[in-house]
Amino acid sequence: SVQIIDGTTVDVKARVVTVKGKRGTLVRDFKHLNVDIRKIKTEKGKDAIQVEKWFGTKKELSAVRSVCSHISNMMIGVTKGFEYKMKFVYAHFPINVNCEKTNGSKSTNMVEIRNYLGEKVVRRVEMQDGCTVERTKEKDELMITGNSVEAVGTSVSQIQQICQVKKKDIRKFLDGIYCTTRKVIGE
């Protein structure tokens, strides 16, 4: 079971979990898993979410803890949010990165990478829904923030993977954009 954090409301209907908080709302569908998810009161009178699996194999039972972790991450996301920082690493050609808004978006949700290894091609990465990207005051650093840890992590990995060195010795060519810190906002 997962304790419901103060300042969040959690609704469960047909294995679809909706978490509302001060930063927004997150919805996640667990219909692909054969588990029971319901809201309960603990002995201390606090609300909690209980996840159960009946007569499961070892692999099926491992999904119970995963569902609890997902719900916990959703509650942390809508109360505090997640923040990942990335550094540009280059030996000779300085990497040029612009953060832009795409078609009618309110927040900066696209990264344009230029001059990577001196190449003329412009690499573009669009952030996942609910993620914003911006340059920090520190030199050669990006910050990606959002409510969903999956969305923020996916956006970070897409930026890192688009800057992989191809057809060269990766021990020598270490250029790229790498994730340096992952944290909950305000910690």
Side-chain angles (χ1 to χ4, degrees), residues 104-129:
S105 173
K106 293 175 184 161
S107 59
T108 52
N109 62 348
M110 174 135 112
V111 173
E112 277 191 350
I113 301 158
R114 288 186 166 84
N115 202 34
Y116 173 70
L117 288 177
E119 295 173 1
K120 295 289 181 207
V121 66
V122 178
R123 292 165 164 80
R124 289 184 180 86
V125 182
E126 213 167 304
M127 299 293 105
Q128 300 285 310
D129 289 337

Side-chain angles (χ1 to χ4, degrees), residues 2-17:
V2 185
Q3 291 279 330
I4 294 178
I5 300 172
D6 294 333
T8 60
T9 56
V10 181
D11 296 319
V12 180
K13 187 170 185 192
R15 286 182 284 183
V16 176
V17 179

Side-chain angles (χ1 to χ4, degrees), residues 90-147:
Y90 50 85
H92 186 269
F93 296 103
I95 300 171
N96 187 346
V97 174
N98 292 333
C99 304
E100 296 176 357
K101 298 178 181 180
T102 55
N103 30 358
S105 173
K106 293 175 184 161
S107 59
T108 52
N109 62 348
M110 174 135 112
V111 173
E112 277 191 350
I113 301 158
R114 288 186 166 84
N115 202 34
Y116 173 70
L117 288 177
E119 295 173 1
K120 295 289 181 207
V121 66
V122 178
R123 292 165 164 80
R124 289 184 180 86
V125 182
E126 213 167 304
M127 299 293 105
Q128 300 285 310
D129 289 337
C131 292
T132 59
V133 61
E134 55 202 29
R135 294 288 295 263
T136 59
K137 287 183 172 54
E138 208 170 312
K139 183 179 181 277
D140 295 338
E141 197 173 59
L142 268 181
M143 183 170 68
I144 295 100
T145 54
N147 294 350

Side-chain angles (χ1 to χ4, degrees), residues 1-4 38-42 46-50:
S1 64
V2 185
Q3 291 279 330
I4 294 178
R38 63 175 178 265
K39 212 169 181 178
I40 60 164
K41 288 253 190 224
T42 58
K46 294 192 172 183
D47 286 332
I49 299 293
Q50 187 177 41

